[in-house]
Amino acid sequence: MRDDDPAAAGVAPAATTTLSSRPRVAVLGAGHTGPVIARVAMAAGYPVTIAASGDPANIALIAGVLAPGAEARWAADAVADAGIVVLAIPLHRFPDLDPALLAGRLVVDTMNYWPPVDGVQEMFDHPAHGSSEIVQRRLARSTVVKTLNHIGYHELEDDRRPPGAPDRRALGVAGDDPAAVRTVADLVERVGYDAVPLDGLRAGRLLQPGGPVFGVSLGRTEFTRALARTDHTDRGSS
């Protein structure tokens, strides 16, 4: 992954409004994905905090190098004033996450259940349910929206494009709360992608490994067509 100059990459410059006009984004996870999400969110004008499972001093250097401008905090402190919380932790660590930490929060689930890579995870090994449905069930007092899981962390920064660019990539946004979906879709758009809302969180399974748009770079029209080719029931409609 490289830290491109957004202007040189053809990406719209960072926010024309003040940082305080956008919700604070708390990124939980400082591995491969978290710092990239922090960078692109900051470039889009969002204030960002980042946290891992322990003392923020342990990730301060990582944050300073990989996500300069993101404030390293304890997880509880990062979540406390966040309007959007991004789950960018390894899936096998999710069962250890205290649901009370995220109660009342809008949570973006970027995780994937991918047994060939990560092994079987008992909590998620239920074919009748998408992984984000299982996340929502555990985080019963949170509002979960699924996105950013079907693009590689190494692509998330490089593939950004300004609105109207002919090669602007589409990303799906799945959730059951319309207001939450709009908030997250706005984040996706400002970061540099066309947001395509899906028919509820159940439809988020189409964004998972093996789904029609997972790991595929498609424009809005092609992305929508790929979803439309899937059985109507699988898209989360009754």
Side-chain angles (χ1 to χ4, degrees):
M1 184 189 306
R2 65 180 189 274
D3 294 333
D4 289 334
D5 176 357
V11 180
T16 56
T17 56
T18 63
L19 292 179
S20 61
S21 68
R22 301 209 176 130
R24 180 175 294 278
V25 175
V27 178
L28 301 187
H32 293 302
T33 304
V36 180
I37 293 175
R39 285 204 300 272
V40 299
M42 286 188 292
Y46 289 82
V48 174
T49 55
I50 189 166
S53 57
D55 192 328
N58 296 332
I59 64 166
L61 179 60
I62 295 174
V65 173
L66 298 181
E71 181 185 352
R73 293 183 181 180
W74 291 97
D77 293 335
V79 169
D81 61 352
I84 300 172
V85 179
V86 178
L87 275 184
I89 61 176
L91 189 77
H92 69 271
R93 291 187 175 276
F94 177 72
D96 300 326
L97 184 68
D98 182 1
L101 176 69
L102 301 176
R105 299 298 172 186
L106 193 172
V107 176
V108 176
D109 177 18
T110 73
M111 301 180 296
N112 284 308
Y113 178 46
W114 205 345
V117 175
D118 302 315
V120 173
Q121 306 291 324
E122 184 177 355
M123 176 182 286
F124 291 93
D125 200 33
H126 298 281
H129 302 287
S131 61
S132 289
E133 293 177 274
I134 295 168
V135 169
Q136 177 66 88
R137 184 182 305 163
R138 179 167 172 78
L139 303 182
R141 292 188 290 160
S142 307
T143 301
V144 174
V145 175
K146 187 180 192 69
T147 192
L148 301 181
N149 70 299
H150 50 296
I151 180 172
Y153 69 88
H154 52 288
E155 300 171 317
L156 183 57
E157 194 163 37
D158 294 345
D159 284 3
R160 295 173 296 163
R161 297 293 185 271
D167 58 344
R168 183 162 151 117
R169 183 171 176 173
L171 294 178
V173 182
D176 292 331
D177 184 294
V181 169
R182 286 194 297 270
T183 297
V184 176
D186 187 53
L187 170 65
V188 169
E189 292 275 351
R190 291 181 184 278
V191 162
Y193 297 90
D194 284 340
V196 178
L198 277 70
D199 298 329
L201 192 60
R202 182 173 183 269
R205 68 186 67 192
L206 296 176
L207 308 178
Q208 296 178 173
V213 296
F214 183 82
V216 183
S217 181
L218 300 170
R220 183 190 297 274
T221 299
E222 293 79 11
F223 191 99
T224 303
R225 286 174 179 166
L227 297 180
R229 285 194 294 268
T230 305
D231 180 79
H232 190 65
T233 301
D234 289 340
R235 287 191 283 124
S237 299
S238 57

